[in-house]
Amino acid sequence: MKITFFGSSHGVPEPNRSCSCALLEVSERKYLIDIGMDPVPELIRRGMTPKDITAVFITHAHGDHTNGLVPFADICSWYFKEADPLIFVPELRIVDALKSWTKITCGGLRESLRFREVHEGALYDDGTVQVTALATRHTENAYAYMIRAEGKRVLFTGDMKGGDGPTADFARFVTEDGIDLAVAECAHFDAMQYLEPLRAHPPKRLCINHYSRRYLESCCRLKSTVEPDIPTLLATDGLEIRL
Ligand SMILES: [Zn+2]
């Protein structure tokens, strides 16, 4: 399994970081987690196209996690007509917005594009990847994803509630030791708030993602505190993690 971060920034792009989007590859299958930037140029740069994407999992409706859905759905409607990704959106009214946009720009949203609304619990299983959605308190319809594939477990936290997200939301998601990778946001609180839940149920690896500049120093402090027990990376665009 390989995870490539296309976009690792917080709500605002940084000079070298775009908004949230990650490519998950398991054997021959490819998936996107969040789509806060246009993923198509990144796919094409790597010799892929939207036709290669099996499913898209969006954590919540904020623009830094969804804005890339507009160009993605647009080009899947008029050019990559054989692309058949199953697109999980936190709210189906996103599809209405896409219909309006594509009606103006490219003649309409392709009828055969498949959308599903995310619900809490077991969400997806294609025999290669199993995805469970876990509600966070970031917004009304916001989710983390626990992904199981090839005998491994990877958590994407999505966004959590400011202030006590790590102690409340994160502690609920990670209830057993040894998940293989936790991809944890740090746009809404000091990273040191992860310390207690990380110590309660340490993952094998930690990747701090979606971190804002104001919490960067705390991210570095968390990394130096939990290592070497929990090897920790700060995500940057283009970072690849193999599990
Ligand atoms: Zn958000």
Side-chain angles (χ1 to χ4, degrees):
M1 162 186 341
K2 184 168 90 167
I3 297 160
T4 305
F5 290 86
F6 286 174
S8 60
S9 193
H10 51 97
V12 181
E14 294 279 350
N16 56 353
R17 290 193 293 147
S18 298
C19 290
S20 288
C21 184
L23 174 73
L24 169 70
E25 296 174 79
V26 184
S27 61
E28 296 303 305
R29 292 199 167 158
K30 302 172 202 325
Y31 311 83
L32 292 170
I33 317 291
D34 274 333
I35 193 161
M37 53 169 283
D38 183 355
V40 179
E42 294 295 329
L43 291 170
I44 288 173
R45 226 168 263 144
R46 291 166 172 80
M48 301 172 232
T49 78
K51 288 191 283 186
D52 295 305
I53 300 298
T54 299
V56 178
F57 302 95
I58 294 174
T59 59
H60 64 291
H62 284 161
D64 55 322
H65 301 257
T66 55
N67 283 344
L69 193 50
V70 172
F72 184 77
D74 178 302
I75 208 162
C76 286
S77 291
W78 74 268
Y79 189 78
F80 293 110
K81 291 184 175 177
E82 288 158 26
D84 188 29
L86 185 55
I87 302 171
F88 287 90
V89 292
E91 301 174 34
L92 279 177
R93 55 196 180 124
I94 284 175
V95 182
D96 297 330
L98 290 172
K99 280 180 182 165
S100 297
W101 181 270
T102 51
K103 191 173 175 189
I104 296 164
T105 57
C106 71
L109 190 65
R110 175 158 54 88
E111 284 286 330
S112 54
L113 267 183
R114 297 177 299 148
F115 294 89
R116 300 280 185 281
E117 194 166 57
V118 182
H119 58 80
E120 191 163 23
L123 184 70
Y124 178 83
D125 184 349
D126 63 7
T128 300
V129 160
Q130 293 85 45
V131 179
T132 303
L134 306 152
T136 87
R137 297 166 309 137
H138 181 63
T139 58
E140 196 177 338
N141 299 300
Y143 300 92
Y145 292 119
M146 184 69 84
I147 297 168
R148 292 176 174 80
E150 298 178 332
K152 303 219 162 70
R153 291 165 297 168
V154 178
L155 172 73
F156 279 80
T157 66
D159 282 5
M160 294 182 285
K161 194 179 176 194
D164 60 356
T167 49
D169 285 337
F170 187 81
R172 261 191 312 115
F173 307 152
V174 182
T175 54
E176 45 193 300
D177 291 2
I179 67 165
D180 294 273
L181 175 68
V183 180
E185 73 114 334
C186 201
H188 303 93
F189 36 72
D190 185 295
M192 289 303 283
Q193 290 190 48
Y194 277 114
L195 195 54
E196 193 182 312
L198 283 175
R199 283 191 166 145
H201 296 294
K204 289 180 186 161
R205 296 170 78 179
L206 174 67
C207 178
I208 304 173
N209 185 37
H210 200 53
Y211 49 90
S212 74
R213 281 188 193 195
R214 67 180 162 151
Y215 297 124
L216 180 57
E217 188 272 332
S218 72
C219 295
C220 296
R221 199 146 32 97
L222 179 71
K223 174 177 163 66
S224 62
T225 305
V226 300
E227 286 188 325
D229 294 342
I230 307 172
T232 300
L233 288 167
L234 269 65
T236 49
D237 291 8
L239 172 70
E240 296 179 359
I241 297 179
R242 289 172 194 274
L243 294 168

